[in-house]
Amino acid sequence: MSADLTKAIRILNEGGYTCVLCKENRIYTSTERGVKFLLDWQNSGLDFSGFCAADKVVGKAAAFLYVLLGVKEVYAYVMSEAAIDTLTKNNIQIQYDKSVKKIVNRFGTGFCPMEEAVWDIDIPQQAKQAIENKLLQMKK
C-alpha cells in the first residue's frame, strides 16, 4: 500500500468524509453520497492521474469514474464484485474491507441505480454517458 493511499484512508477515517483523493500534498475530499461528485471532479479539468482514492462504497459506476480520473489505487470499505473486476481490468490496485455481489440503493430495496445503469457496459466513456443520463433522469 502506498503512502498516499495510507494517508487517504487515514483522512477518510478521521475526517467524516465519503471520499478522499490524495497525491503527495494534494488532497481532495467530499462528504457527498453517490457518484455525482466523482463525475464533477472528472469534468473539472483537473489532473487526478496517479492519485490514490479512499472511498466508503465503490460500485461499478464509481469504478469507471476512477478509471477516467486516472487514479492508481482505490480502497473502499465496501466494493462490489463488478467494481473489483472493472478496476482490476484497468490496472488499478485495489483494497477493500468487504466485497459484495452488488451495491444496493440507499433504501435497501433494490439495485443501486448507478450500478444498474452501467451493469452491461465495459467501456469507461460509455459508462460516463450512462451515468450522466441516469443522473439527469433521476433529477426529473
Side-chain angles (χ1 to χ4, degrees):
M1 181 183 314
S2 72
D4 284 335
L5 186 59
T6 301
K7 184 187 220 178
I9 293 168
R10 182 180 49 77
I11 294 168
L12 179 75
N13 290 331
E14 294 173 0
Y17 300 107
T18 53
C19 180
V20 176
L21 294 184
C22 184
K23 181 179 180 182
E24 297 162 356
N25 293 325
R26 297 187 305 170
I27 299 167
Y28 294 86
T29 61
S30 179
T31 56
E32 293 180 51
R33 294 175 66 178
V35 298
K36 186 182 178 312
F37 70 92
L38 290 173
L39 189 61
D40 291 343
W41 283 346
Q42 208 275 320
N43 290 330
S44 71
L46 296 170
D47 182 9
F48 290 99
S49 55
F51 272 72
C52 293
D55 200 328
K56 287 192 171 185
V57 178
V58 175
K60 189 173 181 180
F64 275 124
L65 293 172
Y66 283 126
V67 169
L68 291 168
L69 284 166
V71 302
K72 67 177 186 176
E73 287 182 90
V74 176
Y75 161 83
Y77 296 150
V78 176
M79 191 176 288
S80 74
E81 292 174 1
I84 292 167
D85 186 54
T86 298
L87 293 166
T88 303
K89 282 181 180 174
N90 286 278
N91 300 312
I92 296 173
Q93 299 297 309
I94 58 168
Q95 293 194 35
Y96 50 87
D97 293 338
K98 182 180 179 183
S99 155
V100 295
K101 185 97 175 139
K102 61 182 181 180
I103 303 299
V104 296
N105 65 30
R106 293 177 189 178
F107 309 106
T109 58
F111 212 23
C112 166
M114 291 300 131
E115 184 132 320
E116 186 175 34
V118 300
W119 193 253
D120 294 321
I121 297 174
D122 291 317
I123 299 167
Q125 284 296 342
Q126 288 178 1
K128 179 183 175 189
Q129 187 62 55
I131 293 164
E132 290 172 334
N133 291 344
K134 188 60 153 181
L135 286 169
L136 283 173
Q137 179 186 10
M138 291 172 67
K139 202 173 186 181
K140 293 179 182 179

